[in-house]
Amino acid sequence: MELNRSEKDFLMQAIETASANISDGGGPFGAVVVMEGKVISRSGNRVISEHDPTAHAELLAIRMAAAALGTHDLSDCVIYSSCEPCPMCLGAIYWSGIRRVVYASDRYRAASAGFNDEMIYSELALDSGSRSIAMDRALTDEGDRVFSLWDNYPGKILY
């Protein structure tokens, strides 16, 4: 796909963030969230430095953008990432409402550098009883009652 000049600039910002992040103790990933041609947030991967396995660049940039905009709905935003988002980040992108992802490197190149997500993609395709992580369901009625409360809650905001 051919990007226009500003799109290339935003993607380069994500790539530059990833590059700088390495010498700053982070992983080789960067992300930039843009709305209406303006950068809202920018982050590198902070898994090691934050001791947080969820501190991926895309997740951090989404959190920062949501805070800056005061909303959980980022449907007017585009995320630019130095690499194809992993399954966790892709889930967050869907939940945030972002409708477009522009990325540079792909998951196969990330895997060759030691960041292999293929097991997660494979696991997600399995039913819960076949996954390598035990998934035990219990207290079903009690858990379902919470959704009944939600169904009848007049102040709910769907997301």
Side-chain angles (χ1 to χ4, degrees):
M1 164 172 215
E2 188 62 34
L3 301 177
N4 66 39
R5 180 182 207 111
S6 63
E7 292 173 318
K8 287 179 185 177
D9 289 344
F10 295 136
L11 188 54
M12 274 308 300
Q13 285 184 46
I15 293 166
E16 289 165 358
T17 299
S19 181
N21 199 54
I22 294 170
S23 60
D24 193 33
F29 302 95
V32 176
V33 175
V34 174
M35 185 174 85
E36 298 173 358
K38 293 175 63 177
V39 173
I40 305 302
S41 63
R42 177 178 175 163
S43 184
N45 174 297
R46 307 306 298 164
V47 169
I48 301 300
S49 62
E50 300 286 328
H51 308 291
D52 179 354
T54 69
H56 289 202
E58 295 90 344
L59 272 165
L60 295 175
I62 287 169
R63 290 173 186 161
M64 293 164 54
L69 296 172
T71 182
H72 64 279
D73 180 3
L74 302 181
S75 58
D76 291 331
C77 297
V78 175
I79 191 164
Y80 295 83
S81 181
S82 63
C83 186
E84 181 179 1
C86 75
M88 177 180 65
C89 293
L90 191 55
I93 290 165
Y94 276 105
W95 279 115
S96 71
I98 291 173
R99 295 185 184 139
R100 183 170 181 227
V101 177
V102 180
Y103 64 93
S105 197
D106 66 18
R107 66 186 187 192
Y108 305 105
R109 180 61 185 100
S112 72
F115 300 93
N116 192 346
D117 299 327
E118 192 54 43
M119 182 275 297
I120 299 171
Y121 285 106
S122 298
E123 287 274 315
L124 290 174
L126 301 173
D127 65 77
S128 62
S130 300
R131 294 181 183 149
S132 63
I133 296 173
M135 306 272 297
D136 299 318
R137 187 172 181 195
L139 300 177
T140 306
D141 291 340
E142 292 83 348
D144 288 349
R145 265 195 288 283
V146 176
F147 286 107
S148 294
L149 287 172
W150 175 254
D151 289 340
N152 297 309
Y153 180 62
K156 69 183 165 198
I157 297 173
L158 296 176
Y159 55 96

